Amino acid sequence: MSADEIIHQSTRLRIMVALNMLERREVLEFARLKVIVGVTDGNLGAHLDTLARAGYVEIEKLFVGRRPQTRVRATTSGRRAFRAHAAFLRKILDQAEATLRRK
């Protein structure tokens, strides 16, 4: 088991955490995700592009009335990759805790 280098980057990890808290088909609007993650438009867009190229998120661009709206959701493979990465991080924490208990 190893780290997923795409998800491991801190901003992308926060994005994937937020998206994985949603129900399977639920989406987050770009503006809301930006507030949750605490980044700029450009920074969020760049990280979403990386996640989309990896197949971890789907980005939907549409118009509501005359206003553009971007929605993001985690894909099935993105959810799977996130679970595997979370398990990797838990294993590191468990190993560190076990080592400290032995001392």
Side-chain angles (χ1 to χ4, degrees), residues 49 54 87:
D49 284 346

Side-chain angles (χ1 to χ4, degrees), residues 30-42:
F30 185 93
R32 178 78 179 119
L33 184 56
K34 182 178 85 166
V35 170
I36 291 168
V37 176
V39 294
T40 64
D41 287 0

Side-chain angles (χ1 to χ4, degrees), residues 39-88:
V39 294
T40 64
D41 287 0
N43 197 277
L44 180 57
H47 286 294
L48 287 174
D49 284 346
T50 298
L51 290 167
R53 280 193 308 274
Y56 291 173
V57 300
E58 285 183 354
I59 301 169
E60 176 186 28
K61 295 181 183 251
L62 52 112
F63 280 87
V64 177
R66 292 181 180 219
R67 301 194 66 173
Q69 188 176 79
T70 300
R71 297 177 181 174
V72 183
R73 76 171 190 87
T75 63
T76 300
S77 63
R79 287 177 178 276
R80 192 176 310 119
F82 176 76
R83 282 192 308 270
H85 189 70
F88 166 76

